Amino acid sequence: MNLFNRTIDLGGESKLALNWRVLGLLNLYRVLVPLVLLGLYSLGGSRGIAVDAPRLFFAVALFYLFFGLCSVVLVRRRLATPYFQTVLQASVDIVSLMLLLHACGGIASGLGPLLLVPVGGLAFLLPPRSALFLAAVAALAVLAHTIWQQLTGRADITAYATAGFLGAVLFTFAASASVVASRMHESEDMIRQKDVDLANLAELSQYIVQHLRESLLVVDAADKIRLINESAAEILGDTYAVPGALVGEVSPRLLYSLSTWRQGDRQDSSPSSFVAADGARLIQPHFAPLGGSAPGPTLIFLEDTTLLAERVQQSKLAALGRLSASIAHEIRNPVGAMSHAGQLLAESPRIGPDERRLTDIIRNNSERVSTIINNVLQLSRREATKPTRFMLGDWLEEFVREFSETMQIPLQQIDIREEADELEVRFDPTHLHQAVWNLCDNAIKYGAAAGGGLEIRLSRTTAGYRPYLEVADRGPGIAAEAADRIFEPFFTGHKGGTGLGLFIARELCQLNRAVMLYEARSGGGSIFRIVFSDPQRWEG
């Protein structure tokens, strides 16, 4: 609505500007007419014009020239309204031109057509009735002067025909100018209304694009951002992701995916995902060409796979809870009986080494099944989170001491790096303890074979200023095809695992409004990062 009103105001201003231009052109006419008349008079004889009253002619010509120059100043500086100047100019034009006509001998001098330009031009600025009134005044002035000349013997009866013809032409000019002005204003109104509609559509389109839940941006062939909505700017970073910025400066990983997509098969290639600017979301880009040129503009959709993964995890968790509630207890009792029978059999003095090896297999697998059942029951019976505020550095110091003593690991094998001070988080301490314990246990278990230690780093994300905790190792890492499945329940890439440790850790993080992410470590190994909720948005 504001845009419509603004455009209508601009339409009124355009009409006003047109009026000023017409008045300016008429002022040019007022300057040229007396100059030309004075020039013709100076020629004298048959080449010039005959003047019956030289003093009156010179006085009126100079006055008309002076008035034209003053009107130029009035129009340029907008010292009076267009309507006032129209009325003033109409009055001066008719009086001055009639006096010049009288000084040169009346209608027979041939100066009567000089009235056509000011009458027609001013009629263009006036309403139809006012335009016809102006023409009537000029025609009556010519007719009255002709009557006076005929009564004084200065003109014959034939002068009436010339005066009548001039009056008819004046009326025609005024009516035509009024019609043209009316048609022009109607056309301007139509164009202005279309401009309003186009502007409203453009503003509506811009609003829709900016407030779409889908994140999108348009990149040209030179890898410059031409259009980006709020959601995409939030993903890439509000400070740098603006129209005109280079994609490579905003997100090098996105530029790499875009270049790979342009060089490869656009139908079959699936660009790699990257981490958002806040460090808490995994983004999958999708590309679509715009136009037929190559390379040309590209439309990029940024899909937040974290939200989709959360929905999938929630559905899996719900199914897992229903499954565990129905069969966990039924499995636990037979497994307990088998484990107890294996223990009794192992204590018998009559079994040999081969039988003892079999009893060890029974006991180890019974314990593994019991661990799986306990984890499943823990998920299904999990109580509501009880988040508290605490300093992450102090908590980590106590956790590392406990982990080192329990796992019999020298503290020298655990490298702690605190790159930011005073990291306060809001989390359930027991949930964080279990999640980090699972990550550190996996790092020690799979990183020990490569001779690497455990690294824990505390810092903040660059864009969102959110605190995070990283657990890194130098183990064999995770295969690229399995990286998207490591947080699924019962999925494991190594023998001996239950496939529930990472799943439980991630679920605990989500309960506390945190995010757990994985990325391959440069040089080999894995990095698991827990990005805590924004400390500036803690809920009461």
Side-chain angles (χ1 to χ4, degrees):
M1 192 65 180
N2 293 334
L3 177 63
F4 179 80
N5 290 336
R6 183 171 65 251
T7 311
I8 290 298
D9 293 342
L10 290 175
E13 292 179 2
S14 66
K15 285 185 178 180
L16 208 58
L18 178 62
N19 293 345
W20 288 118
R21 285 197 297 271
V22 173
L23 290 174
L25 291 175
L26 290 176
N27 287 330
L28 178 63
Y29 177 79
R30 294 184 186 94
V31 173
L32 291 177
V33 165
L35 291 178
V36 171
L37 292 178
L38 291 174
L40 291 176
Y41 176 76
S42 65
L43 294 176
S46 59
R47 294 179 299 174
I49 58 174
V51 177
D52 295 343
R55 292 185 178 180
L56 178 63
F57 176 81
F58 275 105
V60 174
L62 293 176
F63 168 77
Y64 199 41
L65 176 63
F66 176 75
F67 175 75
L69 296 175
C70 292
S71 296
V72 171
V73 177
L74 291 177
V75 170
R76 285 186 175 274
R77 297 189 178 183
R78 308 293 196 266
L79 298 179
T81 63
Y83 181 77
F84 174 79
Q85 293 205 38
T86 300
V87 174
L88 176 63
Q89 292 181 11
S91 303
V92 173
D93 286 338
I94 292 176
V95 173
S96 300
L97 293 176
M98 287 303 302
L99 289 176
L100 289 174
L101 187 69
H102 172 72
C104 292
I107 194 68
S109 63
L111 298 182
L114 292 177
L115 290 167
L116 295 178
V117 174
V119 169
L122 295 175
F124 185 86
L125 306 179
L126 295 171
R129 291 185 179 179
S130 300
L132 294 178
F133 176 77
L134 176 63
V137 170
L140 290 176
V142 173
L143 181 61
H145 184 267
T146 303
I147 293 174
W148 177 80
Q149 281 190 321
Q150 196 272 334
L151 293 177
T152 56
R154 298 182 181 181
D156 54 13
I157 195 68
T158 59
Y160 287 103
T162 305
F165 178 76
L166 179 61
V169 174
L170 288 173
F171 271 98
T172 303
F173 260 58
S176 300
S178 181
V179 172
V180 170
S182 178
R183 295 289 178 85
M184 182 177 295
H185 292 324
E186 289 178 0
S187 300
E188 287 182 352
D189 291 339
M190 292 178 62
I191 295 174
R192 191 163 55 252
Q193 184 60 44
K194 290 182 179 179
D195 290 340
V196 170
D197 296 338
L198 291 175
N200 288 337
L201 287 176
E203 184 173 340
L204 179 61
S205 300
Q206 182 73 8
Y207 179 85
I208 292 174
V209 169
Q210 289 297 327
H211 294 81
L212 275 176
R213 294 181 61 183
E214 289 76 12
S215 306
L216 57 89
L217 66 154
V218 176
V219 178
D220 62 12
D223 297 330
K224 284 187 177 182
I225 298 176
R226 292 305 180 190
L227 173 66
I228 183 169
N229 65 355
E230 295 177 357
S231 179
E234 181 184 357
I235 289 176
L236 299 178
D238 294 324
T239 305
Y240 307 103
V242 295
L246 290 173
V247 178
E249 296 178 354
V250 175
S251 176
R253 294 291 298 273
L254 179 58
L255 177 61
Y256 173 77
S257 298
L258 177 60
S259 301
T260 304
W261 174 81
R262 283 174 174 170
Q263 296 172 2
D265 187 353
R266 297 187 176 188
Q267 300 297 329
D268 299 333
S269 60
S270 57
S272 59
S273 58
F274 62 93
V275 180
D278 58 5
R281 290 176 289 178
L282 196 62
I283 306 302
Q284 177 72 37
H286 302 278
F287 305 107
L290 295 177
S293 59
T298 304
L299 178 63
I300 305 177
F301 293 91
L302 302 179
E303 180 184 6
D304 187 356
T305 59
T306 306
L307 296 176
L308 180 61
E310 288 179 359
R311 297 191 186 100
V312 174
Q313 290 288 356
Q314 291 298 329
S315 62
K316 291 182 177 180
L317 182 61
L320 184 62
R322 292 191 296 268
L323 176 64
S324 62
S326 59
I327 66 174
H329 290 288
E330 299 297 331
I331 297 177
R332 194 174 197 179
N333 292 335
V335 170
M338 287 188 293
S339 177
H340 184 63
Q343 290 177 1
L344 293 178
L345 184 60
E347 294 174 358
S348 175
R350 295 190 297 271
I351 65 173
D354 294 338
E355 289 81 3
R356 192 173 301 280
R357 185 175 62 84
L358 294 175
T359 58
D360 289 341
I361 294 175
I362 294 174
R363 185 177 67 254
N364 292 337
N365 284 276
S366 298
E367 290 177 356
R368 182 184 176 190
V369 174
S370 297
T371 301
I372 294 176
I373 293 173
N374 290 332
N375 288 335
V376 171
L377 289 175
Q378 184 183 18
L379 284 175
S380 62
R381 298 180 308 195
R382 187 164 58 206
E383 297 179 355
T385 180
K386 298 178 181 178
T388 57
R389 296 187 183 185
F390 56 88
M391 303 305 297
L392 190 57
D394 298 338
W395 177 90
L396 181 61
E397 183 179 353
E398 182 179 350
F399 170 83
V400 170
R401 187 184 304 110
E402 178 187 354
F403 184 80
S404 174
E405 295 175 354
T406 303
M407 304 298 291
Q408 297 299 309
I409 300 173
L411 287 175
Q412 292 77 8
Q413 292 187 10
I414 304 177
D415 184 14
I416 301 177
R417 300 180 182 180
E418 294 189 38
E419 299 179 359
D421 299 328
E422 304 296 328
L423 290 179
E424 187 179 9
V425 297
R426 187 172 185 265
F427 213 98
D428 189 323
T430 60
H431 290 176
L432 183 61
H433 185 279
Q434 183 178 356
V436 178
W437 190 285
N438 287 344
L439 297 179
C440 293
D441 185 43
N442 288 341
I444 292 295
K445 183 185 303 182
Y446 302 116
L454 170 65
E455 297 181 18
I456 303 178
R457 186 163 71 105
L458 303 180
S459 185
R460 294 184 184 273
T461 60
T462 304
Y465 205 60
R466 297 171 63 172
Y468 67 86
L469 182 150
E470 275 186 358
V471 177
D473 63 68
R474 286 297 181 184
I478 299 173
E481 60 272 11
D484 295 335
R485 302 185 58 195
I486 58 175
F487 294 109
E488 295 181 2
F490 302 113
F491 176 82
T492 177
H494 304 279
K495 294 182 179 180
T498 63
L500 287 174
L502 291 178
F503 173 69
I504 294 175
R506 194 180 197 188
E507 289 296 322
L508 292 174
C509 291
Q510 290 179 354
L511 278 178
N512 291 270
R513 299 182 182 275
V515 179
M516 179 179 291
L517 301 171
Y518 161 79
E519 67 178 72
R521 190 178 185 184
S522 177
S526 302
I527 297 177
F528 288 90
R529 183 183 300 112
I530 299 176
V531 183
F532 298 91
S533 59
D534 189 349
Q536 303 300 326
R537 296 184 180 181
W538 285 334
E539 297 181 359

